[in-house]
């Protein structure tokens, strides 16, 4: 399984530790195409110093989105890039899990929360969680994907 992980880079790196835990867990389910989002050597300035600039980052990431089987986004830290990635993924009819921590004191965008229809068959899911339960939330989601795949 190819997994595309979304997390804030230029929007702020406050949630880096949780990104690292998420990516580590996601690696038990498949290849994480964007594991670099959890790397501590990437600052809020982004990774463009290592590449040829923003255009190359955009094109590479869109290519990864196209090839991904599932998208997992940590959406607690607001990020224009994550919102853009999610919009593109919705247009591609990808399976999407958005993770949000209400304990942050933030309110999740209605455009994200409202995209979850609440039905079991919805491709777009929003899951509130606490840091203590993130691995279990991911385990439950990916176990559900396996079950849905097995019955189709």
């Amino acid at each position: 399984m190819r997994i595309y992980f979304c997390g804030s880079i230029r929007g702020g790196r406050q949630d880096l530790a949780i990104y690292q835990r998420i990516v580590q867990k996601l690696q038990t389910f498949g290849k994480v195409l964007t594991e670099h989002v959890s790397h501590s050597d990437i600052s809020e300035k982004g990774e463009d110093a290592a590449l040829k600039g923003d255009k190359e980052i955009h094109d590479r990431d869109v290519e990864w989105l196209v090839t991904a089987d599932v998208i997992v986004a940590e959406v607690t830290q607001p990020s224009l890039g994550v919102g853009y990635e999610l919009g593109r993924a919705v247009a591609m009819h990808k399976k999407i899990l958005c993770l949000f921590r209400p304990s942050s004191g933030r309110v999740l965008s209605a455009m994200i929360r409202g995209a979850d229809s609440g039905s079991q068959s919805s491709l777009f899911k929003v899951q509130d969680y606490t840091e203590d339960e993130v691995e279990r939330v991911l385990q439950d989601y990916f176990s559900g994907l396996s079950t849905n795949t097995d019955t189709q």
Side-chain angles (χ1 to χ4, degrees):
M1 179 174 297
R2 293 173 310 273
I3 304 164
Y4 189 103
F5 173 67
C6 308
S8 175
I9 295 178
R10 293 184 185 175
R13 301 294 282 161
Q14 297 88 329
D15 288 340
L16 180 61
I18 195 73
Y19 296 169
Q20 291 168 340
R21 288 178 57 195
I22 291 169
V23 167
Q24 185 174 21
K25 183 64 177 177
L26 291 176
Q27 288 171 330
T28 68
F29 304 113
K31 174 158 182 55
V32 181
L33 302 170
T34 54
E35 69 179 49
H36 66 279
V37 174
S38 71
H39 293 173
S40 59
D41 60 343
I42 295 179
S43 72
E44 288 181 14
K45 293 182 180 176
E47 59 175 314
D48 54 352
L51 296 170
K52 295 178 184 162
D54 292 345
K55 177 75 172 135
E56 187 171 321
I57 291 169
H58 171 273
D59 294 350
R60 176 203 63 195
D61 289 4
V62 169
E63 185 178 317
W64 283 340
L65 271 174
V66 168
T67 65
D69 299 304
V70 64
I71 315 307
V72 175
E74 211 302 337
V75 295
T76 305
Q77 175 64 37
S79 166
L80 292 171
V82 171
Y84 177 83
E85 290 166 323
L86 291 172
R88 295 290 300 257
V90 166
M92 294 176 200
H93 306 285
K94 299 288 183 174
K95 295 178 200 108
I96 301 167
L97 172 64
C98 293
L99 301 169
F100 179 75
R101 291 187 325 281
S103 64
S104 69
R106 292 187 175 97
V107 176
L108 183 58
S109 166
M111 294 303 291
I112 302 299
R113 186 152 325 262
D116 184 341
S117 69
S119 76
Q120 286 296 100
S121 62
S122 176
L123 290 176
F124 197 106
K125 301 279 185 193
V126 175
Q127 178 68 55
D128 290 346
Y129 76 102
T130 65
E131 287 188 41
D132 292 341
E133 62 188 6
V134 68
E135 288 89 356
R136 181 192 55 77
V137 166
L138 291 167
Q139 184 68 49
D140 290 351
Y141 179 78
F142 279 87
S143 293
L145 286 183
S146 298
T147 302
N148 290 340
T149 302
D150 294 342
T151 59
Q152 291 179 1

